[in-house]
Amino acid sequence: MIWKLETNNTAYVIGVNQAGYLLNLHWGARLPDYPSPSESEGYASFNGAGQILPEEYPTYGMGLNYTEPCLKATFSDGVRGVALQFDSAQQTDNTLTLTLKDTHYPLTVKLHYQIYAEQDIIARHVTLINTGDTPITLERAWTARWHFPPGDSYYLHHLTGRWNDEWVHHRERLTNGVKILESRRITTSHHHNPYFAVERGDATETHGEVWFGALAWSGNWKIAAEVTEFQSTRVSIGLNDWDFAWVLEPGETFTSPIAYAGYTQQGLGAASRCLHDLIRKHILPHSDLTRKVLYNSWETTLFDVDEESQKRYAEIAAEIGCELFVMDDGWFHGRNNDTSGLGDWWADSVKFPNGLTPLIEHVNQLGMDFGLWLEPEMVNPNSELYRAHPDWVIHFATRQRTPARNQLILNMARPDVQAYLIEKIDRLLTEHNIRFIKWDMNRNVSEPGWQDAPRDQRELWVRYVHGVYHVWETLKNNHPQVIWQSCSGGGGRADLGILRLADQIWISDNTEPTRRLAMQANFSRIFPPNTMEAWVTDMGEQTIPLAFRFHVSMCGVLGVGANISRWTDAQKAEAAHWINEYKRVRHIIQQGDVFQLYQQDGYYATQYLSQDQRNGVLFAFRTYRPEPTTPLVIRLQGLSPDHTYTINGVSHSGAYWMTIGMTIQLHNFGSIMWDIHQV
Ligand code: DGJ
C-alpha cells in the first residue's frame, strides 16, 4: 500500500511494508516514480527493523528500536509498549487520514495530512482515541516525524535568543545523536523557536534543496533532530514531553498541534516565502487588511500615562500621519509601576477620572483608531484580583511562589480564571471603541503546580495553552473588529499557533535599529512582513539618522515609539514624509514577496516585490564599517528576466538586475529606499 501527497512541486510518499511498518518513502521533488517500502531484519542482535526503517510515526517499547519515538503511553495494566498496526486510509484531493490501531489495547491513532499545493507545504497532526473503558496515560504525543533522504549528512538552521536579543540564526552540522530544541517555559519562548530548516550544506538564499517546518503551538514544544548510526536523519516535532502527561479517559480524543513542513529546490529564501504565503493565505485572521501605522508611547512614558498627556501624544501622532494610537502599560487600576495592578482590568480612577472614553473619543476625532495594552495571564500580588483569589495562580501548595517582574501567572487552565478574563476584557471591548489589543506576557513559569487539577497536574502544560487560546478566541469572536498583537516581553510568543488569533507580532523590546536589521531578517525566515511590527524609537546612538530608523521599520508594519513630544518641526516633517512614503508602498511590503539580498559585514539589503512582479521596493543599509571599505554590490531577485525595470532612475532588464546587479555607495548609518518599477 502506498499513498502519495503531491503539491505543485513536491511529493510526500508513505507506504506499509510487508512486515506492517508504516514508512516514509520519499519527501522531496515530484518524480515519475517512487521507491517501494523496504524491509529490514535489523542489524546484528542489537538493532531491530524499527531502528533502521524510516518509520512514519514510531512508538515506544516494541522491538529493538532506540531512536526517538513519537508516542509513549502507559495502559491501565502498566504495559508501556504501543504496537500500532495499519487499519485503514481515507484520501481526498487534499487530505489523507491513516488510521492505526494497537494490536491489543483500545488505542486508535489517526495520522492526518493536509496538502497546501501552492505553498508546497504539508500539514500534519495526530488524534489519539481511547476506545476502551480504562484510562490511558500519554507521556509523549508528538505531532510528526519528518525524514530526509538517507545516506547524506545535513545541516540544521534554527533560531535562538533571549529577552531583548531574539532571532539569532544558527546553522550547524547534524552528527550522530540527538539535537534538542525546546521550550520548557509554558509559552513558545524567546530562547528557541519551533522552526527548523534542513539542507545538505550547499543551500544558499537562492539555491539548493531545503526541507523546513514549524509547529503551530504556543506552549512547551520540542524538536528532536536525530542522526542514527545507519546514516538516517530525521526531525521530530511536537508537544514537549518534559514533565508532560495527559490522561486519556475512555471515549476521549487527544488532538496534537499541527506541524507544517515543506520542501523547495530554490534555497532558504524560497522556503521562507512558502511559509509567508501559507501564513498569509491559510493562517492569519485578517491577512488582507492593510496594517495601520501606530504610535505607542511606552519607551517614552513607561507607566506614566494619563488622559491629558496621552491626548498630547495623540495629537502629535496624528499630525505626522499615524493611524492607530495605542496606550501601553500603566492605564489600569493601581498601576503606577510594575509592582501592582495586573489583574484589575479597569481604568485607573486617578489617571482617568472620567474613564477611558474621553481619551478614545479624542483619538477618534483626530482620525485614528484606539488600541490598548493588556497582560491577561498575569497578576500582581498587590492587586484586588490576587487578594480575592490567591489560589488562581500557578503554584505548588507547599512551596514559595517565585515572582518575576513582581508578578505571578494565572492558571489559564482553570475555567474560573478564563471566565474572569473573558468577562473583564469583554466589558472593556464592549464599552469602548477599541480597535487594537496588544496582548503581552512578561515572565515565564515557575513552580508549575495545579493542586486541584481534575486529573494529572502535568496536564497544566497543555491545558494552559488551551485556556489562552479559548479566552483569546472568545474575545476575538465577540469583537471581530479588533486587531491583536502577540507580545511576550518582545518576541517570546511568535508561532504559527498564535497567528490563528493574532494579526501582528512584537518581535523584540530591542528597537535599536542596527540590531533590528538582523533580527528582522531572521524573523522573516518564518513570518511574513505584515505580521512584523517595527517601531521607530530613540534607542541606540543618537547620531543614527531618522531616515535610517524609518527605513528599518518600514521593512515590516511601521510604528513609531519615539518621544515625539521632543521632535523639532523639521523632525516631524521628516517623519510625516516617511510615513507617507510607507503608506504609498505598504501594500507591496505587507503583501509582496520578500528577498533577503544581503546580510554581511554591516551591510543589509532587502527587496520586496509584488506578486505580479511589477512593482517593488528596495531597502539597503550600512551600519558601522570602518574605512577603508568597499561599496555594497547587490543582485536583485524574483524579477521577470525579460521585462525592463527602472530603479533609482536607471533602466535595465530584469535579467540584468539579477545577474549584474547594482553598486550602492553608502556612508556609515546611510540607507536607501528605492522603488522598483516594471516599464
Ligand atoms: C513588554 C513589551 O514588550 C513592551 O513593549 C511593553 O508593552 C511592556 N511590556 C509594558 O510592560
Side-chain angles (χ1 to χ4, degrees):
M1 272 168 293
I2 289 187
W3 300 274
K4 273 188 285 185
L5 302 172
E6 288 182 328
T7 67
N8 287 0
N9 302 293
T10 75
Y12 189 88
V13 187
I14 313 159
V16 180
N17 74 2
Q18 284 182 0
Y21 284 95
L22 182 69
L23 305 177
N24 176 262
L25 307 180
H26 173 74
W27 182 28
R30 276 176 81 144
L31 303 172
D33 46 356
Y34 299 106
S36 305
S38 52
E39 306 294 329
S40 169
E41 297 196 335
Y43 177 81
S45 58
F46 292 93
N47 300 283
Q51 183 77 7
I52 293 165
L53 295 168
E55 278 195 88
E56 185 68 1
Y57 196 74
T59 57
Y60 174 74
M62 302 302 299
L64 294 112
N65 183 0
Y66 310 97
T67 60
E68 289 289 339
C70 284
L71 178 63
K72 182 170 186 301
T74 302
F75 297 101
S76 56
D77 60 2
V79 166
R80 306 188 322 279
V82 178
L84 295 179
Q85 196 169 49
F86 172 73
D87 176 76
S88 56
Q90 274 180 305
Q91 191 159 18
T92 67
D93 284 352
N94 288 322
T95 65
L96 169 69
T97 302
L98 299 177
T99 301
L100 316 172
K101 289 188 173 163
D102 190 277
T103 51
H104 181 81
Y105 291 94
L107 176 64
T108 298
V109 175
K110 287 179 185 273
L111 309 184
H112 305 269
Y113 301 81
Q114 164 118 32
I115 296 170
Y116 293 95
E118 267 181 57
Q119 291 80 25
D120 290 323
I121 282 178
I122 290 171
R124 289 176 63 180
H125 75 280
V126 296
T127 47
L128 307 167
I129 307 150
N130 181 347
T131 56
D133 48 21
T134 52
I136 302 169
T137 303
L138 307 176
E139 280 133 20
R140 176 182 284 187
W142 283 354
T143 295
R145 154 148 316 162
W146 306 95
H147 291 272
F148 309 105
D152 271 331
S153 63
Y154 292 89
Y155 287 74
L156 172 72
H157 295 246
H158 60 103
L159 298 166
T160 67
R162 51 186 172 155
W163 175 76
N164 216 30
D165 189 23
E166 299 91 333
W167 310 111
V168 180
H169 171 241
H170 299 264
R171 173 183 181 271
E172 61 190 270
R173 183 156 184 201
L174 290 171
T175 56
N176 282 36
V178 186
K179 164 90 187 175
I180 298 289
L181 314 172
E182 65 180 335
S183 166
R184 299 178 180 180
R185 295 167 179 259
I186 215 164
T187 187
T188 327
S189 106
H190 304 77
H191 303 85
H192 273 135
N193 196 273
Y195 152 86
F196 67 87
V198 168
E199 41 102 4
R200 287 200 176 89
D202 54 1
T204 64
E205 233 3 69
T206 50
H207 293 93
E209 288 183 287
V210 180
W211 294 260
F212 57 93
L215 186 71
W217 183 245
S218 315
N220 283 6
W221 57 270
K222 193 166 187 174
I223 290 177
E226 181 170 19
V227 181
T228 74
E229 60 280 27
F230 298 97
Q231 257 195 303
S232 160
T233 303
R234 61 280 293 276
V235 164
S236 307
I237 191 164
L239 295 172
N240 203 339
D241 53 342
W242 172 259
D243 197 31
F244 165 84
W246 189 275
V247 182
L248 198 59
E249 296 286 353
E252 282 187 356
T253 299
F254 180 81
T255 304
S256 79
I258 298 173
Y260 298 89
Y263 164 81
T264 175
Q265 293 180 333
Q266 266 100 51
L268 293 154
S272 300
R273 287 186 292 279
C274 290
L275 282 171
H276 294 181
D277 206 45
L278 174 91
I279 292 171
R280 283 195 291 227
K281 293 213 175 94
H282 298 289
I283 296 182
L284 277 182
H286 298 106
S287 190
D288 295 339
L289 222 65
T290 301
R291 304 310 200 229
K292 296 192 169 173
V293 179
L294 72 74
Y295 180 75
N296 180 315
S297 75
W298 166 252
E299 287 192 19
T300 304
T301 55
L302 298 179
F303 303 93
D304 192 11
V305 295
D306 62 21
E307 186 183 318
E308 282 320 305
S309 61
Q310 286 291 293
K311 278 182 174 170
R312 281 202 305 281
Y313 283 105
E315 283 156 18
I316 307 170
E319 186 189 329
I320 59 175
C322 294
E323 301 158 303
L324 167 65
F325 182 83
V326 181
M327 181 157 65
D328 212 283
D329 201 345
W331 62 269
F332 47 96
H333 180 63
R335 185 70 162 176
N336 294 316
N337 50 48
D338 64 14
T339 63
S340 59
L342 290 172
D344 299 345
W345 299 114
W346 54 92
D348 184 73
S349 58
V350 178
K351 297 176 178 183
F352 297 93
N354 303 307
L356 297 179
T357 303
L359 172 62
I360 296 175
E361 283 179 350
H362 190 68
V363 166
N364 292 159
Q365 277 155 16
L366 291 165
M368 295 184 293
D369 285 348
F370 180 80
L372 200 60
W373 178 94
L374 291 171
E375 196 177 2
E377 297 146 85
M378 298 293 157
V379 64
N380 287 117
N382 184 8
S383 67
E384 296 196 13
L385 176 63
Y386 190 76
R387 281 185 282 274
H389 298 288
D391 53 325
W392 276 10
V393 298
I394 294 176
H395 68 286
F396 289 129
T398 55
R399 302 284 180 202
Q400 279 225 317
R401 304 166 184 204
T402 306
R405 208 195 189 206
N406 306 302
Q407 61 199 56
L408 298 168
I409 307 184
L410 290 172
N411 185 346
M412 297 294 288
R414 293 177 63 119
D416 45 10
V417 169
Q418 296 167 13
Y420 172 83
L421 290 171
I422 289 171
E423 194 272 319
K424 281 282 169 292
I425 302 172
D426 201 76
R427 178 179 301 196
L428 266 173
L429 295 175
T430 305
E431 291 177 355
H432 303 95
N433 186 17
I434 295 173
R435 294 301 178 109
F436 181 96
I437 291 287
K438 172 173 178 172
W439 181 311
D440 204 348
M441 182 199 193
N442 282 301
R443 62 160 294 177
N444 289 152
V445 74
S446 61
E447 298 86 34
W450 177 10
Q451 207 63 28
D452 44 2
R455 308 198 295 207
D456 193 306
Q457 283 200 41
R458 290 169 296 177
E459 292 187 5
L460 173 73
W461 300 109
V462 171
R463 291 193 185 274
Y464 180 93
V465 181
H466 287 165
V468 171
Y469 287 167
H470 169 65
V471 172
W472 201 319
E473 198 166 13
T474 307
L475 295 165
K476 187 172 187 61
N477 290 341
N478 292 354
H479 303 279
Q481 77 285 1
V482 176
I483 297 292
W484 301 81
Q485 181 208 101
S486 171
C487 170
S488 174
R493 185 147 55 196
D495 60 79
L496 273 63
I498 211 65
L499 283 181
R500 288 187 293 241
L501 301 162
D503 305 275
Q504 299 175 194
I505 293 173
W506 182 230
I507 75 163
S508 180
D509 278 347
N510 190 336
T511 56
E512 198 284 323
T514 59
R515 175 70 186 91
R516 268 271 168 158
L517 282 167
M519 279 190 185
Q520 293 185 175
N522 289 332
F523 178 87
S524 298
R525 288 174 188 274
I526 314 172
F527 304 104
N530 65 339
T531 64
M532 184 174 81
E533 254 188 57
W535 305 349
V536 172
T537 70
D538 303 317
M539 213 179 260
E541 292 295 324
Q542 294 312 296
T543 46
I544 299 174
L546 201 52
F548 186 100
R549 292 176 187 272
F550 265 96
H551 288 160
V552 172
S553 297
M554 288 161 86
C555 290
V557 179
L558 175 64
V560 180
N563 188 351
I564 50 179
S565 70
R566 289 216 195 115
W567 276 0
T568 61
D569 287 346
Q571 284 172 312
K572 282 191 256 180
E574 184 176 353
H577 165 75
W578 290 122
I579 290 174
N580 243 333
E581 281 291 279
Y582 180 71
K583 289 177 183 168
R584 184 175 64 76
V585 295
R586 69 177 150 190
H587 60 286
I588 303 170
I589 293 170
Q590 294 179 6
Q591 297 295 342
D593 284 334
V594 189
F595 301 87
Q596 302 297 346
L597 302 183
Y598 206 94
Q599 250 200 86
Q600 230 173 285
D601 305 328
Y603 279 134
Y604 293 82
T606 306
Q607 175 200 333
Y608 300 82
L609 191 65
S610 60
Q611 305 273 342
D612 64 5
Q613 298 176 303
R614 295 175 69 90
N615 294 296
V617 189
L618 174 67
F619 291 98
F621 304 88
R622 172 170 161 176
T623 58
Y624 179 75
R625 280 168 65 94
E627 300 293 348
T629 188
T630 47
L632 171 65
V633 180
I634 50 170
R635 291 173 185 85
L636 271 55
Q637 294 176 26
L639 305 177
S640 157
D642 301 331
H643 282 91
T644 301
Y645 291 86
T646 305
I647 305 170
N648 196 30
V650 181
S651 298
H652 285 296
S653 64
Y656 178 101
W657 289 124
M658 294 193 289
T659 314
I660 310 290
M662 62 174 76
T663 301
I664 304 179
Q665 300 282 353
L666 289 167
H667 299 296
N668 280 334
F669 303 115
S671 59
I672 57 105
M673 171 200 169
W674 289 338
D675 288 338
I676 301 169
H677 282 308
Q678 201 184 82
V679 177

